[in-house]
Amino acid sequence: MRIAMIGNGLVSNMAALYFRKQLPESVEIVLIGPDDRGGLPLVGESIIEITANFLETQLGLEDYLREHHVPKHALTYYFKLDPDNPEDRTYSVHSTESLPNPDGYEGSPGSWQLNREHFDDHLRELVAADSGIARINGRVKDIQIDGEGGHTLEIKEADGGSRTLEANWVIDASGRNRFLGKKLGLTIKPEGQRDCFWFRIADFDRSLLRNLNALGPEYDHYDRYYTTHHFMGHGNWIWMIPLKAEDGGELMSIGFVSHPDHYEHDVRSIDSFLEQVSKVHPVVTDLVKSGRVVDTNLLRRYHYVTNPTYSPDRWGIIGDASFAPDPLFSNGLAFVTLQIEQLGALIARDYEGNHSPEFVEKLATYFMGPVLSSQTTITNWYPTMDDAYLSSIRINWIETVYFYLFLPLVANRCHFDPKRLRLWKAMQVRGENPFDIPQELIEARKRVAKPMPDHFVYKGDEKLNPKARTLWADIDEVYEQLEAGSKVLAGYSKELLSRIDKLEGEGELMMP
Ligand SMILES: Cc1cc2nc3c(=O)[nH]c(=O)nc-3n(C[C@H](O)[C@H](O)[C@H](O)COP(=O)(O)OP(=O)(O)OC[C@H]3O[C@@H](n4cnc5c(N)ncnc54)[C@H](O)[C@@H]3O)c2cc1C
């Protein structure tokens, strides 16, 4: 059996390394891609626990990550109480309490913030050093799909030569070129589009990030700087990701993501970023102005999905070739790890002579469940992204669902293990979206005319499930995590609603 991997980016190399570890030696793996990225932008520095778990346990990269990248203690969200007043820097700040670690915060953070050039190069080096993975330096020009007799790829090599390659499975990881999705007409561009302008700065004064009035608890066993920071605005949000430069110095990646239906300005340069963002978050623009801009990038109306992503005809489409997400939850590469593990299971099954078109279709459908539910949740958030109070309710809900539902299910292989697949149904959107807050809480928000500091409920360790990354031998333990999560969510709703009732009873600022 031979697998042809199209692309030489992060995703193709991650998948090749994983397949090599999982599949028998007699399965040939051939990666076809150029040395040069061909002008495709490089983005995606903040990873979540799902991705970290995969890189550490499946690819064995924990020591490398600790040495070359900076830790990430989950996500920090800054919700501004008065977004129309640049003079007021009061934010309701929500972060996750990561578990105290005897080795200090450098010891074992939840995940990592990647310097992508360094990381992508490292994976290419690992692939080059692996004699079990062949590489063709070139581009795939065309393909004849034949799931039964074998696919034929036509390749233009970097030295100008042409050749063909036969393969039983083809995995397209060609990034935004979307080689197979375009050829087969599978790409869907949703109506709710996104624009993103991003850049990196060096030589900045990181202390300026603290020049705000932060409401909410701060945890003393890690440095909040080492989280992914999110500042929310009118129909837009900003990411700030601290990174380690090649020379060990500090870099900061900063991105501005907006929904064109809910944001009226056009942020596409440093000047327009400074002009618009200083009206809402001078804390961010002060930091940018203190530094030196290293590079800038722009993607406009970039959102798309491909459906299906796997076929009984023995092909798969993964990474940017299959979807371009809104990165609010930093879960792009987490979904990629799901794709890699699902395809690994499908190919292994085929190798054993048990190819099942039904199972391929089932996993393709199951893959889309959390992609759609998390993206829909983000889309629903944009009209009220500047609402500090509602946003705080959303994030407490979403993070609890992530740590008690999504992460344990993935850590326990419920997305591909046939014996555990029934648990994955919790991630499918069937009327109710697990990540989106219930209507009851949206209605409760409407009763509060002007949110004051007393209205906010903060959750740190409550939303963090300490057993979320445990792989349980007994499936009942996984059910217990889900039950524990339901209790946390019920307790949170109760606390929030009774606080609103109490403040209402005391004649606090409620709607008439
Ligand atoms: C704005 C934005 C922010 C994001 N932020 C995050 C984040 O914080 N965290 C996260 O986890 N994810 C994030 N993501 C997602 C993440 O960036 C992607 O999942 C990841 O970078 C995709 O890598 P890739 O290997 O699929 O694509 P690429 O890195 O683009 O690689 C594609 C490769 O295919 C090659 N190629 C193209 N055509 C051909 C061909 N015909 N033949 C052979 N080779 C070909 C190219 O040369 C290249 O080597 C973000 C995405 C966006 C859009």
Side-chain angles (χ1 to χ4, degrees):
M1 177 185 275
R2 180 184 289 152
I3 309 171
M5 319 275 313
I6 306 178
N8 189 23
L10 172 62
V11 169
S12 190
N13 284 285
M14 259 167 82
L17 290 168
Y18 176 81
F19 292 158
R20 188 62 293 155
K21 283 183 196 298
Q22 296 295 322
L23 298 170
E25 266 179 41
S26 57
V27 176
E28 265 187 76
I29 300 171
V30 184
L31 190 146
I32 309 120
D35 288 338
D36 178 7
R37 291 187 52 71
L40 292 172
L42 191 57
V43 68
E45 296 124 332
S46 167
I47 60 169
I48 58 173
E49 293 74 8
I50 290 177
T51 321
N53 207 33
F54 178 88
L55 297 176
E56 292 169 16
T57 63
Q58 302 302 318
L59 301 191
L61 293 176
E62 185 172 354
D63 291 344
Y64 160 79
L65 287 164
R66 178 168 296 117
E67 199 177 327
H68 295 281
H69 301 274
V70 292
K72 171 178 160 187
H73 299 276
L75 311 168
T76 302
Y77 285 82
Y78 301 78
F79 303 126
K80 193 168 180 191
L81 269 66
D82 189 355
D84 293 319
N85 180 4
E87 306 305 320
D88 187 346
R89 296 190 180 202
T90 307
Y91 288 86
S92 176
V93 180
H94 294 255
S95 44
T96 318
E97 181 169 7
S98 63
L99 295 175
N101 187 292
D103 304 328
Y105 70 83
E106 297 282 357
S108 180
S111 83
W112 308 93
Q113 329 230 43
L114 304 176
N115 177 328
R116 280 291 302 273
E117 280 132 348
H118 193 291
F119 187 67
D120 291 21
D121 281 348
H122 182 66
L123 289 199
R124 276 190 279 270
E125 283 162 18
L126 292 179
V127 165
D130 193 326
S131 58
I133 304 171
R135 155 99 196 284
I136 297 174
N137 183 3
R139 301 180 75 81
V140 178
K141 287 289 166 198
D142 204 356
I143 185 167
Q144 283 84 54
I145 294 287
D146 183 348
E148 289 306 316
H151 312 296
T152 308
L153 289 83
E154 293 173 24
I155 299 165
K156 181 87 178 163
E157 289 177 288
D159 63 9
S162 299
R163 60 180 285 186
T164 57
L165 183 79
E166 304 288 323
N168 306 88
W169 277 84
V170 64
I171 308 297
D172 178 20
S174 62
R176 299 187 63 80
N177 271 2
R178 288 173 274 155
F179 173 76
L180 205 50
K182 280 184 188 162
K183 183 175 171 71
L184 302 177
L186 303 173
T187 306
I188 301 157
K189 275 216 125 189
E191 282 205 354
Q193 274 301 318
R194 302 293 190 275
D195 293 333
C196 181
F197 170 70
W198 75 97
F199 53 97
R200 292 184 301 172
I201 54 171
D203 307 328
F204 52 93
D205 177 358
R206 71 188 246 188
S207 71
L208 292 171
L209 193 51
R210 294 206 155 254
N211 191 10
L212 47 79
N213 174 24
L215 307 177
E218 181 155 6
Y219 309 109
D220 56 11
H221 51 273
Y222 70 87
D223 181 350
R224 183 183 277 161
Y225 178 73
Y226 292 111
T227 62
T228 297
H229 307 263
H230 299 75
F231 285 82
M232 319 304 273
H234 304 294
N236 69 79
W237 64 275
I238 296 163
W239 81 63
M240 298 177 81
I241 308 175
L243 304 172
K244 195 190 263 187
E246 291 286 298
D247 63 3
E250 286 182 348
L251 279 176
M252 177 78 86
S253 164
I254 302 177
F256 184 94
V257 185
S258 56
H259 189 310
D261 297 347
H262 302 288
Y263 185 65
E264 56 183 337
H265 303 288
D266 192 11
V267 170
R268 50 164 62 218
S269 64
I270 293 290
D271 284 348
S272 52
F273 178 89
L274 292 175
E275 185 192 347
Q276 296 306 331
V277 177
S278 62
K279 293 179 198 163
V280 185
H281 307 297
V283 61
V284 174
T285 47
D286 284 354
L287 184 108
V288 174
K289 283 189 251 173
S290 78
R292 172 174 58 85
V293 176
V294 177
D295 48 18
T296 65
N297 270 292
L298 179 69
L299 283 177
R300 289 180 53 79
R301 312 296 197 263
Y302 73 82
H303 198 27
Y304 56 78
V305 288
T306 299
N307 197 17
T309 47
Y310 325 137
S311 163
D313 269 346
R314 295 183 167 90
W315 53 255
I317 305 179
I318 63 176
D320 272 7
S322 67
F323 65 98
D326 186 312
L328 183 59
F329 304 144
S330 304
N331 57 15
L333 287 168
F335 288 130
V336 168
T337 69
L338 264 56
Q339 294 182 313
I340 293 174
E341 288 177 327
Q342 289 182 323
L343 281 164
L346 293 173
I347 296 170
R349 200 176 161 126
D350 189 18
Y351 180 81
E352 288 158 7
N354 298 321
H355 182 56
S356 155
E358 295 75 32
F359 192 54
V360 177
E361 278 164 359
K362 187 180 242 183
L363 290 197
T365 309
Y366 278 23
F367 169 70
M368 291 311 290
V371 174
L372 293 178
S373 53
S374 65
Q375 290 296 310
T376 307
T377 300
I378 298 171
T379 300
N380 292 346
W381 195 340
Y382 272 95
T384 52
M385 226 162 222
D386 52 357
D387 180 333
Y389 191 44
L390 190 57
S391 292
S392 74
I393 299 173
R394 283 191 189 281
I395 202 62
N396 281 330
W397 189 274
I398 290 163
E399 294 211 310
T400 306
V401 171
Y402 170 68
F403 282 111
Y404 278 93
L405 180 70
F406 192 24
L407 179 53
L409 289 184
V410 175
N412 282 280
R413 305 169 177 182
C414 301
H415 53 298
F416 68 88
D417 180 344
K419 293 194 205 81
R420 297 184 165 206
L421 213 49
R422 65 175 184 276
L423 272 154
W424 194 253
K425 287 205 177 115
M427 296 310 308
Q428 301 302 111
V429 187
R430 286 160 307 165
E432 221 170 278
N433 178 344
F435 288 106
D436 224 345
I437 51 174
Q439 195 59 31
E440 186 188 24
L441 298 186
I442 295 177
E443 294 305 322
R445 159 66 188 98
K446 290 182 187 159
R447 289 161 55 203
V448 181
K450 185 170 167 34
M452 305 297 280
D454 275 1
H455 291 112
F456 290 89
V457 174
Y458 294 93
K459 294 288 168 199
D461 56 349
E462 298 89 340
K463 62 186 172 189
L464 187 115
N465 172 7
K467 297 174 182 167
R469 278 169 76 160
T470 310
L471 173 57
W472 303 99
D474 183 353
I475 195 170
D476 287 350
E477 298 277 5
V478 190
Y479 277 111
E480 273 176 31
Q481 304 308 305
L482 309 192
E483 278 166 25
S486 300
K487 275 194 197 135
V488 175
L489 288 173
Y492 173 61
S493 301
K494 192 171 150 213
E495 186 178 345
L496 189 84
L497 294 170
S498 58
R499 185 173 297 208
I500 292 176
D501 286 345
K502 182 167 173 283
L503 289 165
E504 200 168 35
E506 289 167 2
E508 285 282 338
L509 297 152
M510 296 292 155
M511 291 298 244

